[in-house]
Amino acid sequence: DRERKRELLQQIYVPYRESVTAAIEKQLAHSGKAIHLSVHTFTPSLDGKLRHCDLGFLYDPARPAEAAFVRDLIPQFRSANLRVRRNYPYRGTSDGLVTTLRKQLHHPAYLGIELEVNQRHFIDSADQGNGVVALVRRGLETMLTSFSWPEH
């Protein structure tokens, strides 16, 4: 119902967005750069069509730092025989918090990356899902220590 939706927006949606925005603004003020990784899962099939992807990294290809980050990050996962795709199963410029913050912040050193993980890994077995989570964590840790920010 409409009232319940309004309550959820005020209790969860708005505070979450405000806290994420404040944390990113603080990071930008402190260091002049911020990497915002928003993690989601996606259903293995949609409308009867199988989605051929294990991990999808969504980014704005028009933003050089985001494109470089994703380009350098993807090889961290290919060795694990995962199907990794760029801007799949959605476009990195589709509506969402990351896209909103790109527009709101207008900061070239704000990297808004979304990671989409196929729910198949969690449906098949908890161990498989945990393995994917651990792999993603290791890949990101490696990437964060070695990423060279492009000049802006």
Side-chain angles (χ1 to χ4, degrees):
D1 76 22
R2 197 173 281 196
E3 180 59 25
R4 181 67 180 138
K5 183 176 180 179
R6 188 190 68 69
E7 286 175 15
L8 290 172
L9 286 171
Q10 292 306 311
Q11 293 172 1
I12 298 170
Y13 180 83
V14 171
Y16 169 75
R17 290 175 78 97
E18 287 174 348
S19 68
V20 170
T21 301
I24 291 168
E25 288 173 337
K26 183 178 178 181
Q27 179 63 30
L28 287 169
H30 174 73
S31 70
K33 47 191 162 186
I35 298 173
H36 173 200
L37 183 69
S38 184
V39 181
H40 311 268
T41 63
F42 66 94
T43 183
S45 63
L46 183 65
D47 297 329
K49 289 185 75 174
L50 189 62
R51 294 163 128 182
H52 299 284
C53 180
D54 294 302
L55 300 175
F57 288 96
L58 314 184
Y59 65 100
D60 183 346
R63 296 175 59 89
E66 289 184 16
F69 187 85
V70 171
R71 179 199 63 230
D72 293 350
L73 181 60
I74 285 178
Q76 302 286 330
F77 306 105
R78 289 226 165 105
S79 63
N81 292 322
L82 293 174
R83 292 167 293 181
V84 182
R85 296 184 62 180
R86 298 176 193 196
N87 286 324
Y88 184 89
Y90 313 105
R91 290 190 328 251
T93 54
S94 297
D95 187 37
L97 179 56
V98 168
T99 305
T100 299
L101 288 175
R102 284 185 197 123
K103 293 174 188 171
Q104 180 180 326
L105 298 172
H106 292 288
H107 199 293
Y110 164 72
L111 277 65
I113 309 294
E114 293 182 81
L115 168 59
E116 296 285 344
V117 181
N118 193 322
Q119 292 171 3
R120 171 181 71 82
H121 295 288
F122 302 95
I123 294 168
D124 292 348
S125 85
D127 287 342
Q128 182 179 355
N130 290 336
V132 170
V133 169
L135 179 68
V136 167
R137 187 184 72 243
R138 285 192 305 272
L140 288 169
E141 286 170 351
T142 299
M143 190 60 203
L144 291 172
T145 59
S146 65
F147 181 63
S148 297
W149 287 78
E151 294 297 319
H152 53 270

